[in-house]
Amino acid sequence: MELLNDSSNEEQTNETENMETVEVTEPVEETLVEITETEQTLEEFREESGKRKQRILVGTAVLGVLVVIAIFVGLLFPGVFQSKGEVLASVGDDKIYVEDFQERVRYYRWQFLNQYVQVQQMMQYFGDYDGQQQYQLDQIGALLSNHAMFGEIVLNSMIDEAILVSKADEMGIVVSDSEVQEVIMNAFGYVPGAEVEESLDDESSEGALYADPEAEPTPYTEEMFNENFENYMNDMALADVSEDEFREVQWVSLIHNKLYDEITKDYVAGTEEQVWARHILVEDIDTALSVIEQITSGERTFEDLAMEVSIDTGSGQYGGDLGWFGRNMMIPEFEEAAFSLEVGEISEPIETTYGFHVIEVLGHEDQLISAEQQQSEIQALFTSWLETQNAVLESSIVIDQELLAESTPTDPNLDVLMDETSPIYKALLGVTDEVIEE
């Protein structure tokens, strides 16, 4: 039986829904473009050319030499001086290019498809008794199908990313390649120097559903990690997502986390008025009056009656104890009565939509807010800071809406899950040609 305020429940539900899709709004990063070996060579050439220009740029004669060199190089290597492409959006001096945006969209579409498949498999193995899995599938499907909204979400997150990276740079916050690599290794369950084993007969692991009970645990080596990582990158490449992009996402996530810690480091948890109460819930007022009479006369204890007659079996098994709670946590009638009682006082029957409550207050004082409330306040503090940065830079944020509509990728999409011959289908479901032929 839930006594929680409906509005409180709605907030929790909304938070859950947001969490299911807020993946897209994680801090995002300027995408690195897929580079061929030839392009890498050309980039190195350009860098060396730039260094040479700085060293010899001392007069007009030198400038003439540079022009000749530029023409020569341009003729031999026409791609060297090409720009990254069209600018989709800008945040001050920072630019978001179409090709970066498109790769980021494909990255997130792949991630949502992967999540879709995982939820489907959970439903297949364990069923969907509360409807939550189907709800998740519907949400993911709707998001992947609304290409315009998906593109806007990703672009907005890239704008936030540009702001975060800029502010992190101002504050001296850096993330090294080794930190990114450590995050990746942890994500794949590999800890260098440690004997990490994948136990095939571990009942807590999903693999236990198909494991050979006589198989020996296999040490998870660096070679195995490298193989798993390479396979994962090959799978993502099917969606035209590069390893550079994958690493960029991890890099920005670390930037976000470090900046988050820095912005919220001075947070001090607050306190609020709370009461500690217990109750007995019955269906009619006569039973409630009888309960009050038995308690006040000393005939029965509150705990015994709660366990025996309360129709709120959840708290009843604990003698009616509801613990400490603050305002706006319970339904209004119950809250008003609980906060108005003196410690040790037994209430008159309090009628709510659940029935009739007999309430006793065991404590009433200011308490430190809960860990959940603290986390919510810390998140709100960071969100407020980010919104302030957005407001300050609002006039410098420019988006080419027409180009956004034209350039938003629609692949990969759910259609690949209907095509058993699709490489993406095989990668997402982990099947091979041999399995399909059987």
Side-chain angles (χ1 to χ4, degrees):
M1 196 281 297
E2 295 289 344
L3 291 176
L4 292 178
N5 190 321
D6 290 339
S7 63
S8 176
N9 286 334
E10 291 173 3
E11 291 174 3
Q12 294 177 2
T13 301
N14 291 335
E15 287 179 6
T16 302
E17 294 175 1
N18 288 338
M19 288 173 64
E20 291 168 356
T21 59
V22 99
E23 293 279 341
V24 175
T25 58
E26 279 287 311
V28 218
E29 48 303 298
E30 184 177 339
T31 309
L32 299 179
V33 201
E34 238 182 279
I35 305 176
T36 63
E37 293 181 0
T38 301
E39 287 172 326
Q40 290 176 346
T41 302
L42 298 180
E43 288 296 332
E44 293 171 0
F45 180 90
R46 190 193 307 178
E47 291 175 3
E48 289 299 317
S49 177
K51 293 176 181 178
R52 184 163 57 252
K53 291 176 185 178
Q54 291 179 358
R55 290 195 297 267
I56 64 177
L57 188 57
V58 293
T60 56
V62 173
L63 180 59
V65 174
L66 290 176
V67 171
V68 173
I69 293 174
I71 294 174
F72 178 76
V73 172
L75 290 173
L76 291 182
F77 306 100
V80 170
F81 297 115
Q82 291 179 358
S83 67
K84 289 190 67 175
E86 294 180 283
V87 175
L88 176 60
S90 59
V91 184
D93 296 331
D94 296 318
K95 292 178 172 50
I96 299 173
Y97 294 93
V98 169
E99 57 185 330
D100 294 338
F101 163 74
Q102 289 177 328
E103 188 170 17
R104 184 57 52 79
V105 170
R106 292 193 296 270
Y107 171 84
Y108 281 120
R109 293 187 71 86
W110 171 272
Q111 294 298 332
F112 273 104
L113 275 175
N114 190 39
Q115 183 181 351
Y116 191 94
V117 169
Q118 290 178 11
V119 174
Q120 275 190 325
Q121 291 176 336
M122 289 290 289
M123 289 178 63
Q124 179 182 350
Y125 299 145
F126 306 111
D128 185 19
Y129 302 109
D130 58 1
Q132 286 300 307
Q133 282 75 24
Q134 185 59 53
Y135 176 78
Q136 291 182 48
L137 293 180
D138 293 342
Q139 291 291 301
I140 296 172
L143 183 60
L144 288 172
S145 300
N146 193 332
H147 306 136
M149 182 176 70
F150 199 103
E152 289 178 3
I153 291 173
V154 173
L155 181 57
N156 287 335
S157 67
M158 294 182 77
I159 289 172
D160 284 347
E161 167 195 324
I163 295 173
L164 291 175
V165 171
S166 175
K167 290 300 176 182
D169 185 57
E170 291 178 9
M171 300 167 69
I173 295 174
V174 296
V175 170
S176 66
D177 291 343
S178 61
E179 289 177 287
V180 172
Q181 182 65 12
E182 183 179 358
V183 166
I184 293 174
M185 290 189 297
N186 288 340
F188 279 79
Y190 173 63
V191 181
E195 285 295 327
V196 180
E197 296 184 342
E198 294 178 328
S199 178
L200 296 178
D201 58 356
D202 182 358
E203 295 182 358
S204 65
S205 105
E206 188 175 324
L209 294 173
Y210 313 101
D212 179 355
E214 297 181 357
E216 293 294 327
T218 304
Y220 192 33
T221 65
E222 182 177 6
E223 182 180 358
M224 293 172 64
F225 157 71
N226 289 332
E227 182 180 353
N228 290 339
F229 181 70
E230 182 180 358
N231 290 338
Y232 187 72
M233 290 300 100
N234 289 338
D235 287 346
M236 293 192 69
L238 298 172
D240 290 330
V241 177
S242 66
E243 180 178 336
D244 284 339
E245 174 65 11
F246 176 76
R247 290 183 178 276
E248 184 79 355
V249 171
Q250 315 313 315
W251 179 80
V252 153
S253 179
L254 286 169
I255 287 286
H256 171 275
N257 293 342
K258 288 188 176 185
L259 194 57
Y260 183 96
D261 291 342
E262 180 65 23
I263 297 301
T264 62
K265 66 180 182 181
D266 295 327
Y267 168 80
V268 177
T271 60
E272 65 172 357
E273 180 188 14
Q274 295 186 10
V275 296
W276 174 22
R278 56 186 177 183
H279 82 136
I280 297 172
L281 176 63
V282 294
E283 294 180 345
D284 57 80
I285 191 169
D286 290 336
T287 304
L289 290 172
S290 173
V291 164
I292 294 172
E293 172 62 27
Q294 293 179 69
I295 294 173
T296 55
S297 67
E299 180 181 346
R300 301 289 301 277
T301 66
F302 197 104
E303 294 90 336
D304 288 344
L305 285 171
M307 289 187 285
E308 182 179 321
V309 305
S310 181
I311 59 177
D312 177 9
T313 55
S315 66
Q317 61 182 321
Y318 301 108
D321 196 345
L322 297 171
W324 289 93
F325 56 87
R327 293 189 180 276
N328 301 316
M329 293 295 293
M330 302 296 184
I331 53 179
E333 304 92 336
F334 189 96
E335 176 187 306
E336 182 180 355
F339 277 86
S340 63
L341 291 170
E342 297 293 335
V343 175
E345 184 179 0
I346 304 291
S347 73
E348 294 297 320
I350 305 298
E351 184 177 9
T352 70
T353 54
Y354 297 105
F356 291 85
H357 305 258
V358 176
I359 306 170
E360 180 181 10
V361 170
L362 304 175
H364 191 158
E365 59 187 49
D366 288 344
Q367 291 273 329
L368 193 68
I369 61 175
S370 67
E372 291 78 8
Q373 288 175 291
Q374 292 180 43
Q375 187 58 46
S376 178
E377 288 188 357
I378 293 173
Q379 180 61 53
L381 179 63
F382 182 78
T383 300
S384 176
W385 174 84
L386 183 57
E387 289 174 347
T388 299
Q389 307 311 310
N390 273 279
V392 170
L393 295 171
E394 184 175 3
S395 61
S396 69
I397 299 175
V398 180
I399 300 174
D400 188 332
Q401 295 291 346
E402 183 176 350
L403 186 57
L404 172 62
E406 295 173 352
S407 61
T408 300
T410 60
D411 293 322
N413 56 54
L414 289 174
D415 291 343
V416 301
L417 301 181
M418 308 300 173
D419 181 6
E420 294 184 355
T421 65
S422 165
I424 293 181
Y425 171 91
K426 299 174 186 177
L428 288 171
L429 276 76
V431 299
T432 63
D433 292 333
E434 291 76 10
V435 173
I436 292 176
E437 290 172 1
E438 291 177 1

